[in-house]
Amino acid sequence: MLSKVTVLCFAASYGVALALELTRLLFRSGVRGAVMLGFTAAGLVAHTAFLFYQGVRFNEQLHGIGSPLSSTQHWYLTAAWVLAVVYLLLTFSYPKVQFGLFFLPLVLGLIGVAHHFADPEPAARAPDARIWGLIHGGSILLATVSVLVGLAAGLMYLGQARRLKHKLPPQRGLRLPSLEWLQETNRRSLVVAMATLAVGIVSGMILNVIHHDRDKGFVPWTDPVIVVTVGLFGWLLLSSVLGLVYQPAREGRKVAYFTVVSFAFLVAALAVGLFMDTQHGGQRQNRAWRGDRPRPAATPADSQPGATRPGPSVPGGAS
């Protein structure tokens, strides 16, 4: 039964929820909120079922040495799932606020990238590398979601601040949180993104050392994915330090601009991992298996439970 759940199932549910959010700008309805939450919850159920089935299939395909986030596609879809959960929780807590206008396009964007561009093939790892790989991929995922939450809050802040500055009347049907709430959300998202990205970079270094000791899967420290990820961390660290030593940097539109720039760094890191010729996570080898090109036949060594091939290109750090 779970095998019948497709990406289209939950993407369509989120799309309907977004359409209902847009209608809130046009007219009022007493039942729309409940229907919108129902479609979002249905999408999350289907989304969860898809990720669970995919994880089980990976584990069977790799003879019990698969793990969560075993493919780049699974990584993107999990990030979309986490962001959808954040949206649903916020909507329950603040039912009159149009969070969906800012969160759902990001959720659908992650799903679209996963479906059209990300590598669906899982990767096996040795037990020690599997643990560090899970820490690495999970922490980078949380950093990505934090930056996206900050982006949504930053855009809401800039819109709300512009309306108040020019003394514009509230747009019909559009309600946003207070500037204080948005500012605090911006600031916290930057701190969480910096902390989780630091964990991702350190765990990636440990993975690279493991691969170097085995003369297999080592990623050069000058790899484009690593360079851009370190650049993102440097920007997050700089914004956090500025917020500590210079009070105006943690107030108002400056924090919102920080999150927008952080999003630009994030997009660059994800794009490099998906489209550039990089050795991070065996992306070069995995890319050769896409499209109409047949995958190389498995050798006897590859069919053994302990055999591994380069892991998926999880954005950021060294894996």
Side-chain angles (χ1 to χ4, degrees), residues 157-302:
Y157 185 99
L158 294 175
Q160 188 81 304
R162 179 181 178 277
R163 183 183 68 81
L164 294 175
K165 179 180 180 180
H166 295 283
K167 299 180 180 180
L168 300 175
Q171 185 174 348
R172 178 181 177 181
L174 179 62
R175 294 187 180 183
L176 299 177
S178 67
L179 291 180
E180 292 76 14
W181 188 93
L182 292 170
Q183 177 179 305
E184 184 64 16
T185 301
N186 267 308
R187 186 186 66 80
R188 291 184 178 182
S189 69
L190 288 175
V191 173
V192 172
M194 181 190 67
T196 51
L197 190 58
V199 174
I201 291 176
V202 172
S203 57
M205 290 178 177
I206 294 174
L207 271 174
N208 224 12
V209 171
I210 293 174
H211 292 152
H212 183 268
D213 292 341
R214 294 172 181 167
D215 296 324
K216 185 176 182 180
F218 177 77
V219 181
W221 300 110
T222 56
D223 188 87
V225 173
I226 298 178
V227 172
V228 178
T229 302
V230 172
L232 172 58
F233 175 75
W235 169 256
L236 291 171
L237 180 62
L238 175 63
S239 23
S240 297
V241 171
L242 283 176
L244 289 175
V245 302
Y246 183 56
Q247 184 175 354
R250 62 175 182 266
E251 296 178 354
R253 288 179 293 178
K254 295 182 180 62
V255 180
Y257 290 138
F258 281 151
T259 57
V260 173
V261 175
S262 300
F263 173 71
F265 271 103
L266 175 65
V267 170
L270 298 180
V272 166
L274 286 172
F275 304 114
M276 286 191 65
D277 186 19
T278 169
Q279 292 180 334
H280 179 270
Q283 184 72 1
R284 180 181 299 172
Q285 293 91 333
N286 289 346
R287 188 181 290 116
W289 293 335
R290 296 181 187 171
D292 297 328
R293 184 171 176 175
R295 200 169 190 185
T299 64
D302 293 332

Side-chain angles (χ1 to χ4, degrees), residues 20 23-24 26-38 95-96:
L20 290 172
T23 63
R24 296 173 77 175
L26 303 176
F27 60 88
R28 295 181 180 181
S29 173
V31 299
R32 176 177 46 210
V35 175
M36 183 180 65
L37 288 176
K96 295 183 179 180

